[in-house]
Every structure is written in C-alpha cells, then in structure tokens.
Amino acid sequence: MKTNLKYRKVAAIGAGMTQFRRRVLDTPQEMAWEASRKALDEAGLELKDIDCVVIGSAPDAFDGVHMKGEYLAHGAGGIGKPVSRVYVGGATGVMTAISGWYHVASGMCKKVLAVAEEKMSPGRPHPQAVFRYIWDPITEKPLNPNLIWIFAMEMHRYMFVNKVSKEEIALVSVKNKRNASNNPYAQLGGEITVDDVLRSEVLVWPVQLLDVSPVSDGAAAMVFVDGDIARRYTDIPIWVEGVGWTLDNTSWPGRELAYPRYLENAARMAYTIAGIERPQKEIDVVEPYDPFDYKELHHLEGLLLARKGEAPLLLKEGYFDRDGEIPSSPSGGLLGVGNPIAAAGLMKVISIYWQLKGTAGKMQVKKPVHTGVAQAWGDLMQASTVIVMRN
Amino acid sequence: MVHPLKEEEMKEHETVSHKPEAKYSYTAGQALSAFLLGLKQGKIIGRKCPKCGRVYVPPRMYCEDCFYPTSQWIEVQDEGIVMTAVASFISWTRDRLEEPEIVGTIRLFPSSARDYVYPGLFHRICCSFDDVKTMRILGKMVKAKWRPQEKRVGSVDDIECFEVI
C-alpha cells in the first residue's frame, strides 16, 4: 500500500552512457555530451524539449576543475535552463536520479535531463591523494590516512562481527566481473577465480587489488518526465516509485561499522513511498553499490534483502546470481564496469531501468522483473541513496 | 581495452604540473581545543549531553541527536576495545610501503558492546601484521601508549599508539 500519493508520477523514458575506461581521451564535457545525447535519442526528445537539468559530480579535485557543475553545463545541455548540481560523495550518482525525480514530482518541471560525469584518471600521481582533504583536519589528518584504510576497517569489522571469510567475500568480485563480460560499457569484465582475488596485491589488509573497483572515466545520463506525458514518447515508461536518502555523522571511529543503519533508514523511506512491505519477496532485481566487494554484501543487508550477516551465505547459494532469486549487480557493478564515481551511481539506476524495460540485451536477467532497486553510498561511510523503479 | 594511454605515454604528453600554495590554518574550535590540551596532559576528554547522556569523544559542543548544547567535560579512560584494525601497505599517495602501518578504531570505556555509537578514536595500533591477519587483535583490550610528557604538543600524535594490555 502506498502511503503518500501527493507527488506527481515520474517516469524514466531514456538513458545513455559512455564506455567506462581509464584515461579516456575525451574531455569531461565531451563525455557528458555523449551520454546526454544518447539519453535524449532513446527518449525521442531534443534539447529544446528539456525544462531543467540536474548535474551530479563527486569532488571537483578528480577532474582537476573546480565548479564542475558549471564546467559541465554546456555538455549536459544546461545552457539557458535552470541547472542544479548535487553532491553527496559516492552516493551522488543515485542522488542525481533522485534529484531529477523531485524536479518532476514537485510539478516544477515536466522533462528533466539528469547527467552524471566523473574523470578519475587526471589526478597525478594517483587519484588516491585527492582524498586527503576529506578527513577531519584535527583528529584524523595527522595520521596520514588514505581512503582504502577506512573501507578496509569497515570490511574487517564486517568480517569479524559476522564471521565471514575473505573467500566468501571474493565471490562478489568473481560474480560481478563475470556479469560485466556481458556489458558493452564495461572496463573490467572477465572470468576470474576466488584464488585470483586472494593472490592479488595486498593494498590494506584485508583489501586486495581485485577486491576494489578500478580507476575510471565515464558519464551517464537519464531523462525523467511527468507521468501524464510519458506515454507520448514511449510504450514502456519505467516508473520511479520510491526514493530515499539519509546521511549519518562523520564520526565513523565512534560508530558500529558492521551494519549501515543510515542505509536501512534510506531503504525504509524508499520502500514506504513505493509501498513495499516485504523487500525480499517484492524486489526482483537489485543494483547495490559495490566499489569494494564486501560493500555489496553489506548493502544487501542494509537494503533488507538479507538478514544481518546472511548475505554471504545467500551469495554462495547463488541467490544473487544473474539467474538467481534476486539478481544483484547484473550490469557487473562498479567492480566490473568501473567506478567513475557519480557516473557509476547513475549507471546503476540505468541498469535497473534497462532491466525493467527489457532492453538490457545480454545483461538481461533470466526471471521476469517488475520491481528494481538501485543504491549508492559514499562520504565517510555515512551517505546512502536508494531508488525504487517499476515497469 | 582498459585504457588507451600507458603510464609511460603520459610522460610524452604535455602535462600541467603546478603545486598550488593551498595551505590551511584550521581552527580546532572550542571542543577540540580542550581535547588537544587534555592530550598534552595525558588525558582523553569528552563532552556529555545532559539530555540523552551520550558521551562524545572527540568532544563536541552540541549533541547531534538532541540538538542541544552538551554541558559537561568528562574524562574517559585511555583504555578500550579494538573494534577493527587494518594493515596498510600503501601510503596516502598510494606508494608502496615495505612495513605495513597498522591502524584501527578503539571503543573507549565507559561504553558497552551493545552501543551503536560510542566514544571512539581512530589511531595506530601497536601489533604485528599477523595479529591483524588472524583477527586476533579485534576485540582485544588496549591502552594508550603516551609519548613522554615533554614531547607532547597537543595533537592526536601525542599518543604513540594503542597497545594490548
């Protein structure tokens, strides 16, 4: 049962993305344009039809250009239109779609173009150094942290509390890279084994090289329109039925890391709007955010698709495989497709959109799908964004 | 194709290298200033919310839940439980480290294992890579190893690391 019907109905009618690659030779604006043009083409619209533009992009420091929203505006079709930029760290990609949704749901705009872009490779010598300025300058920065530290800490805590082994977690990497080999946009698809993961370079124990998504460049875009006019452009509008997002505090050293309560809150918000009461029964396909392999398991639990500590067991049984009960990351996720931060989040929404539309090609899951969920996560293990879509 | 340019080819192209003079003088603020002065004296200081009783370490002048000013300085113990620990083989610029750096988070006492939020610190942990790899160090009771009084400057670095007791 839906509890809030005061919003205008919103449908996704088009999506497009660039290939995700490292050291792409196009500029960020050219990538944003390519994705936007493809999304408009799929929607059957021209730029003059678009009322508002939403741009999503993670820290400016990656592309090396401050004011990324303004910088991308002409590539994203924003000239002469109301443009806004959203940013919630790694959770930005799904937030871009959510922002596109509320521009339409509020009744302010009829047709919105939502564009996300990120270029991770320009930073020298490595994008990792760019993360230096996300830490608390007084209590954390003196210890010279890098980003992989905190995620390794969260992974180890998750393993410790739920008694999960590295082998069980590596299965996520194996599954996602296999799924990605069916994805024409993917950077790192292929067949790997659990052994390959366990033998890869140790970055920050327990995180090894194949536990992590690669450095990537890419862009993605979607078109959202008012429900009343959606059928003028397509026979199969995909409805945005629920959205949720929450932020936790930055005090991650003083917080239990084994379970993401902020994600549960975001998921419950989205499920309430969508009228989902039993997530595990009602959701057919899911794209949880997987910059690290353990994150997919962590997020499946936070999304209430597995009990606490149960996700590794279900994964081993094939529950989350492409032909399983709830296929998880059928696109190949960030581990397989690549991780241009904001674009990777919107890629997850696009994957669900194509699955529900039935146009996912070789990525299409075996079972018929009706309800799909995409999720992203970011900042200092504190932000989560969730979107529910139906066909 | 993973990427069209190799690392060596990047050197043949013109790259802009510029070191911005982006230096910052951060303010520690009311709560953290007292915290840093406490560290200099070998104490870990927090703030307590009068309404819900939550203890903030590092301290904060307001309670994020009640949105109410915290009212009381509290000295917590320099002992606690290792919640998580990792061994880093890369530096913050992603250069390879020969000897791993071991860091983690510590839940300081008074607190209980059932708390979702607790007084907690992020710091180095003095133990071996093997202790981390076998997870022996997780859940262990540790105590702060303070630098000698005369070497303390009022920084989180005044604690050398946390070690098992």
Side-chain angles (χ1 to χ4, degrees):
Chain A
M1 190 192 76
K2 291 191 193 168
T3 54
N4 192 336
L5 299 170
K6 281 181 291 199
Y7 306 118
R8 295 196 67 78
K9 278 194 75 115
V10 180
I13 61 163
M17 52 190 274
T18 66
Q19 289 197 326
F20 286 6
R21 293 288 183 266
R22 190 169 187 177
R23 296 184 193 126
V24 167
L25 300 177
D26 310 67
T27 65
Q29 295 147 329
E30 286 166 346
M31 290 198 296
W33 179 83
E34 183 184 335
S36 305
R37 187 64 252 177
K38 283 181 178 167
L40 288 172
D41 286 345
E42 188 179 315
L45 293 176
E46 283 305 322
L47 184 59
K48 64 176 168 52
D49 303 319
I50 296 292
D51 303 320
C52 307
V53 171
V54 176
I55 295 175
S57 179
D60 290 335
F62 288 122
D63 291 55
V65 179
H66 275 297
M67 51 181 249
K68 275 262 303 275
E70 295 80 347
Y71 174 69
L72 289 174
H74 56 74
I79 301 310
K81 299 186 198 303
V83 177
S84 55
R85 178 203 178 175
V86 293
Y87 170 62
V88 274
T92 302
V94 173
M95 197 65 214
T96 311
I98 292 175
S99 178
W101 170 85
Y102 61 63
H103 273 73
V104 179
S106 65
M108 195 182 88
C109 312
K110 292 270 186 222
K111 306 184 199 96
V112 171
L113 179 62
V115 186
E117 183 278 338
E118 211 77 58
K119 207 166 182 192
M120 299 287 284
S121 20
R124 314 262 89 212
H126 194 275
Q128 200 49 245
V130 169
F131 288 113
R132 189 168 177 76
Y133 292 91
I134 67 172
W135 307 97
D136 186 290
I138 309 292
T139 60
E140 290 162 11
K141 221 155 114 192
L143 299 167
N144 278 328
N146 69 50
L147 195 70
I148 300 181
W149 280 17
I150 58 169
F151 303 134
M153 283 186 223
E154 192 180 65
M155 175 170 172
H156 224 189
R157 180 73 191 161
Y158 176 75
M159 289 167 65
F160 178 70
V161 170
N162 296 310
K163 301 188 173 50
V164 181
S165 70
K166 290 256 307 156
E167 285 79 1
E168 289 169 305
I169 288 177
L171 283 171
V172 175
S173 207
V174 174
K175 167 179 76 69
N176 288 5
K177 286 186 199 292
R178 184 190 302 132
N179 287 351
S181 55
N182 291 318
N183 187 336
Y185 298 97
Q187 177 178 350
L188 277 186
E191 287 291 335
I192 60 162
T193 63
V194 169
D195 259 5
D196 292 336
V197 181
L198 297 181
R199 276 202 307 261
S200 60
E201 182 193 359
V202 177
L203 300 176
V204 180
W205 184 267
V207 171
Q208 290 174 264
L209 189 65
L210 290 179
D211 289 312
V212 194
S213 54
V215 173
S216 321
D217 301 344
M222 287 183 87
V223 176
F224 295 99
V225 299
D226 190 293
D228 289 349
I229 57 168
R231 286 188 197 278
R232 287 184 208 165
Y233 304 102
T234 176
D235 293 332
I236 6 177
I238 302 302
W239 303 101
V240 179
E241 300 248 306
V243 297
W245 69 100
T246 54
L247 201 63
D248 210 324
N249 59 30
T250 53
S251 315
W252 56 274
R255 179 146 53 73
E256 174 57 74
L257 299 177
Y259 184 73
R261 64 170 181 183
Y262 47 92
L263 170 54
E264 185 182 324
N265 293 342
R268 284 189 189 279
M269 174 178 165
Y271 296 165
T272 305
I273 297 175
I276 293 176
E277 286 168 357
R278 295 168 305 162
Q280 218 188 22
K281 294 265 186 297
E282 296 176 43
I283 291 166
D284 303 313
V285 56
V286 63
E287 281 278 357
Y289 204 59
D290 60 328
F292 291 70
D293 45 10
Y294 81 97
K295 279 310 310 186
E296 177 155 331
L297 303 168
H298 203 231
H299 289 153
L300 286 165
E301 292 170 16
L303 284 167
L304 310 171
L305 295 175
R307 286 200 199 92
K308 287 181 194 175
E310 193 193 47
L313 200 71
L314 291 176
L315 175 77
K316 221 186 312 183
E317 289 170 359
Y319 194 86
F320 297 120
D321 285 353
R322 212 156 60 88
D323 52 2
E325 287 293 310
I326 305 179
S328 176
S329 296
S331 64
L334 278 55
L335 289 164
V337 192
N339 186 10
I341 306 182
L346 197 58
M347 177 275 287
K348 294 235 146 209
V349 184
I350 292 176
S351 164
I352 293 296
Y353 164 73
W354 282 336
Q355 289 289 344
L356 294 173
K357 208 172 173 186
T359 56
K362 278 165 75 186
M363 293 180 276
Q364 191 70 41
V365 302
K366 296 278 181 296
K367 63 181 260 190
V369 286
H370 175 56
T371 305
V373 170
Q375 176 251 339
W377 158 93
D379 292 330
L380 288 172
M381 304 186 275
Q382 63 179 136
S384 251
T385 44
V386 179
I387 190 165
V388 180
M389 297 198 286
R390 289 206 180 96
N391 53 14
Chain B
M1 185 184 73
V2 175
H3 49 76
L5 289 180
K6 299 277 170 246
E7 190 64 46
E8 309 84 66
E9 288 175 315
M10 294 296 286
K11 293 187 183 109
E12 294 165 18
H13 288 69
E14 192 175 328
T15 53
V16 181
S17 44
H18 163 66
K19 214 168 194 176
E21 279 295 310
K23 298 203 168 73
Y24 297 88
S25 308
Y26 293 108
T27 307
Q30 297 175 53
L32 286 181
S33 297
F35 175 68
L36 296 176
L37 287 173
L39 290 175
K40 208 170 174 181
Q41 296 161 16
K43 291 179 191 165
I44 298 176
I45 290 176
R47 278 289 273 193
K48 187 172 179 175
C49 173
K51 229 174 158 189
C52 66
R54 183 167 160 190
V55 176
Y56 288 88
V57 172
R60 248 190 259 160
M61 297 311 284
Y62 50 87
C63 175
E64 65 182 32
D65 296 325
C66 310
F67 225 56
Y68 208 73
T70 50
S71 62
Q72 196 186 346
W73 294 104
I74 283 199
E75 188 186 338
V76 299
Q77 294 176 40
D78 62 352
E79 291 174 14
I81 299 285
V82 176
M83 298 302 276
T84 181
V86 300
S88 180
F89 288 86
I90 55 172
S91 72
W92 70 272
T93 52
R94 211 226 178 269
D95 291 322
R96 195 85 200 141
L97 299 177
E98 280 315 309
E99 277 302 303
E101 199 167 349
I102 295 170
V103 292
T105 63
I106 296 108
R107 169 168 62 79
L108 297 168
F109 300 136
S111 61
S112 100
R114 301 176 59 172
D115 296 342
Y116 189 95
V117 287
Y118 41 77
L121 279 187
F122 158 53
H123 222 290
R124 290 179 287 263
I125 296 172
C126 287
C127 69
S128 67
F129 174 42
D130 204 47
D131 290 334
V132 176
K133 206 169 171 177
T134 56
M135 285 201 199
R136 268 199 304 265
I137 191 72
L138 277 79
K140 277 269 161 56
M141 187 139 46
V142 288
K143 187 176 169 63
K145 184 175 170 191
W146 296 90
R147 291 198 195 277
Q149 179 105 50
E150 64 279 6
K151 287 204 176 142
R152 289 186 215 144
V153 293
S155 144
V156 287
D157 220 27
D158 290 350
I159 297 174
E160 207 176 311
C161 64
F162 281 80
E163 56 186 355
V164 178
I165 42 171

